């Protein structure tokens, strides 16, 4: 790119020596943007020129003003280089390099020149009615093909080349032979390209390839949350908040006080690693009146049932499993504080029968 620019500069210096085959490629995006702007630019002049006038309407002055408008823009764009080089210091720094902005300013100046007496009233200039009227005229002009887009494109291209004296938006290269020109055109930074990403048909100037690629919705990129997947940019947001394994989720035991947040792919591991903590928290909730030591002891005892406990992945199912296990461990004469001291392993064999006969005084709080 840098060497391209050097080349361009040499070419500008060589201007008088005259290779005669010009590359006339240009930035089609910005030229299109300028062509689009010409219509509202003209409509504004037409509206402000005739507002409050009972004899003249925007439609009536449109043909004449269009001619004047094009002449005005052409003349301003031709003298732009000379005007800009006179500017010094701050003024030069403030001057825009963007051909669209430069030409939009010319268009504004034209509309200002064309304002009639009523059009100069600031209340009118700021009114919504004026905006609506301009929009209506633009629409009318579009529908009636009053100023066809290809004609506006041709004007925009000329204006662009006039104001873009640095060659940032159009190619200024010239060649001695058509062969040299053809060779250049194939690799010119202003040649038109179609995005190569599958599903995307965007057309752009070659120099904008990188810019487009960085934003192309169809570009396949690695997951922003660093999971192993790669997917289209436009699917990224959805992926990251739904099925991305690295999506951060709350521990399902947050409602009983576990504050952990973990990537969803490690949730199972967290549930496994924090089993004792989760059991204790669920027990604390179901036995509010029990002492911390008792609950701790109870949780330790229940650890011998780790395979059953591990299958419970949320508060509800862990509560059920614990309720079931407690019932199995429960001796008929047991109380809340002593009941779980019997050997857990000897009671597991009766699991099926004891399941249904859990003493009510232990389980009343379970569903809180
Ligand atoms: Zn070129
Ligand atoms: Zn694309
Ligand atoms: Zn992901
Ligand atoms: Zn947890």
């Amino acid at each position: 790119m840098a060497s391209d620019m050097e080349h361009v500069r040499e070419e500008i210096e060589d201007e008088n020596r005259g290779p005669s085959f010009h590359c006339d490629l240009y930035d089609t995006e910005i030229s299109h943007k300028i062509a689009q702007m010409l219509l509202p630019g003209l409509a504004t002049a037409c509206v402000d020129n005739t507002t409050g006038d009972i004899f003249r309407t925007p439609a009536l002055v449109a043909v004449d003003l269009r001619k004047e408008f094009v002449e005005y823009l052409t003349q301003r764009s031709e003298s732009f280089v000379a005007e800009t080089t006179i500017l010094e210091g701050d003024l030069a720094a403030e001057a825009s390099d963007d051909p669209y902005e430069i030409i939009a300013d010319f268009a504004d100046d034209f509309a200002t020149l064309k304002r009639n007496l009523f059009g100069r009233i600031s209340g009118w200039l700021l009114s919504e009615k004026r905006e609506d009227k301009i929009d209506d005229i633009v629409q009318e002009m579009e529908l009636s093909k009053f100023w066809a887009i290809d004609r506006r494109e041709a004007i925009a291209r000329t204006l662009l080349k006039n104001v873009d004296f640095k060659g940032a938006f159009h190619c200024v290269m010239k060649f001695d032979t058509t062969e040299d020109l053809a060779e250049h055109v194939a690799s010119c930074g202003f040649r038109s390209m179609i995005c190569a990403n599958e599903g995307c048909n965007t057309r752009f100037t070659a120099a904008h390839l990188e810019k487009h690629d960085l934003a192309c919705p169809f570009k396949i990129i690695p997951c922003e949350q660093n999971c192993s997947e790669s997917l289209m940019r436009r699917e990224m947001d959805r992926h990251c908040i739904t099925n991305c394994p690295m999506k951060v989720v709350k521990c399902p035991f947050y409602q009983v006080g576990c504050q952990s947040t973990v990537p969803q792919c490690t949730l199972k591991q967290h549930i496994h690693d924090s089993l004792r903590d989760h059991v204790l928290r669920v027990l604390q909730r179901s036995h509010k009146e029990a002492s911390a030591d008792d609950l701790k002891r109870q949780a330790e005892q229940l650890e011998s049932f780790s395979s059953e406990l591990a299958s419970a992945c949320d508060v509800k199912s862990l509560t059920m499993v614990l309720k079931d296990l407690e019932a199995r461990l429960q001796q008929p004469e047991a109380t809340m504080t002593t009941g779980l001291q019997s050997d857990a392993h000897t009671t597991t064999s009766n699991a099926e029968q004891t399941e249904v006969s859990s003493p009510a005084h232990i389980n009343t709080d379970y569903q809180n």
Side-chain angles (χ1 to χ4, degrees):
M1 195 63 208
S3 66
D4 269 358
M5 289 312 290
E6 274 163 35
H7 212 113
V8 167
R9 240 171 273 135
E10 280 168 28
E11 288 292 333
I12 293 173
E13 282 158 17
D14 281 358
E15 204 148 0
N16 301 327
R17 268 189 272 151
S20 45
F21 297 101
H22 296 238
C23 172
D24 58 2
L25 295 176
Y26 57 94
D27 189 322
T28 47
E29 259 167 79
I30 197 146
S31 129
H32 185 69
K33 209 171 139 195
I34 294 167
Q36 292 290 355
M37 173 264 290
L38 293 180
L39 214 49
L42 175 63
T44 306
C46 291
V47 168
D48 287 350
N49 186 244
T50 57
T51 185
D53 191 326
I54 49 165
F55 299 110
R56 293 157 74 249
T57 62
L60 219 58
V61 296
V63 174
D64 286 343
L65 283 187
R66 181 180 61 190
K67 186 165 175 280
E68 273 188 63
F69 188 41
V70 174
E71 281 167 5
Y72 179 83
L73 293 176
T74 309
Q75 180 268 315
R76 283 290 302 271
S77 72
E78 278 166 359
S79 52
F80 178 74
V81 180
E83 280 169 23
T84 315
T85 42
I86 295 167
L87 294 178
E88 277 175 14
D90 288 351
L91 275 176
E94 270 174 36
S96 174
D97 275 342
D98 182 341
Y100 172 82
E101 279 177 33
I102 295 166
I103 293 159
D105 283 348
F106 295 165
D108 284 348
D109 291 348
F110 180 74
T112 308
L113 284 174
K114 291 295 150 191
R115 272 176 207 158
N116 67 11
L117 211 56
F118 191 81
R120 286 186 207 129
I121 300 166
S122 63
W124 165 252
L125 289 174
L126 298 171
S127 71
E128 264 178 47
K129 208 174 148 202
R130 174 177 179 258
E131 291 297 320
D132 291 347
K133 202 155 179 196
I134 291 169
D135 288 349
D136 287 349
I137 302 293
V138 168
Q139 226 169 16
E140 252 174 60
M141 285 176 169
E142 256 163 13
L143 284 174
S144 64
K145 306 220 162 43
F146 169 73
W147 199 2
I149 183 68
D150 52 343
R151 293 206 172 186
R152 279 181 282 140
E153 297 268 14
I155 294 161
R157 197 162 58 233
T158 305
L159 299 176
L160 171 67
K161 288 181 178 179
N162 285 347
V163 298
D164 176 38
F165 60 93
K166 288 177 184 161
F169 299 90
H170 77 289
C171 190
V172 294
M173 308 259 292
K174 292 183 261 173
F175 301 88
D176 290 322
T177 65
T178 48
E179 288 78 20
D180 288 351
L181 174 62
E183 196 182 315
H184 160 78
V185 162
S187 63
C188 176
F190 294 97
R191 73 192 185 281
S192 183
M193 290 183 82
I194 289 183
C195 178
N197 296 324
E198 206 181 326
C200 183
N201 291 314
T202 306
R203 189 174 269 283
F204 45 79
T205 297
H208 295 166
L209 172 61
E210 200 179 338
K211 188 186 86 183
H212 172 79
D213 211 50
L214 285 172
C216 176
F218 294 90
K219 172 90 174 171
I220 306 279
I221 49 173
C223 169
E224 284 171 2
Q225 292 178 150
N226 297 320
C227 79
S228 59
E229 277 180 58
S230 289
L231 56 152
M232 279 186 194
R233 180 176 279 118
R234 65 177 191 163
E235 284 162 5
M236 188 62 70
D237 286 353
R238 192 186 163 78
H239 163 80
C240 285
I241 59 168
T242 55
N243 52 4
C244 175
M246 294 304 284
K247 176 194 165 190
V248 172
V249 293
K250 277 186 195 166
C251 169
F253 293 93
Y254 75 93
Q255 43 173 307
V256 289
C258 179
Q259 305 280 326
S260 302
T261 51
V262 294
Q264 59 185 346
C265 61
T266 66
L267 188 59
K268 272 209 160 74
Q269 189 60 43
H270 167 77
I271 288 173
H272 177 266
D273 294 346
S274 310
L275 185 60
R276 186 190 285 197
D277 176 61
H278 293 159
V279 165
L280 193 60
R281 288 177 187 281
V282 171
L283 287 175
Q284 271 164 358
R285 199 178 75 148
S286 357
H287 304 305
K288 291 199 175 81
E289 69 290 353
S291 76
D293 282 348
D294 283 336
L295 290 176
K296 218 171 198 167
R297 222 173 8 252
Q298 199 173 344
E300 275 162 26
Q301 265 186 315
L302 287 164
E303 257 167 51
S304 51
F305 298 97
S306 58
S307 66
E308 278 146 294
L309 292 170
S311 68
C313 291
D314 56 47
V315 174
K316 198 177 168 196
S317 52
L318 186 58
T319 305
M320 300 273 280
V321 172
L322 285 173
K323 187 175 167 182
D324 178 36
L325 291 174
E326 279 186 280
R328 283 198 248 161
L329 290 169
Q330 195 64 53
Q331 297 297 310
E333 70 279 13
T335 65
M336 181 53 217
T337 48
T338 59
L340 294 166
Q341 284 159 13
S342 59
D343 182 3
H345 297 285
T346 62
T347 55
T348 47
S349 54
N350 317 329
E352 286 76 18
Q353 301 115 269
T354 50
E355 220 172 65
V356 283
S357 59
S358 52
H361 69 278
I362 283 188
N363 299 306
T364 44
D365 282 329
Y366 265 117
Q367 301 309 326
N368 287 358

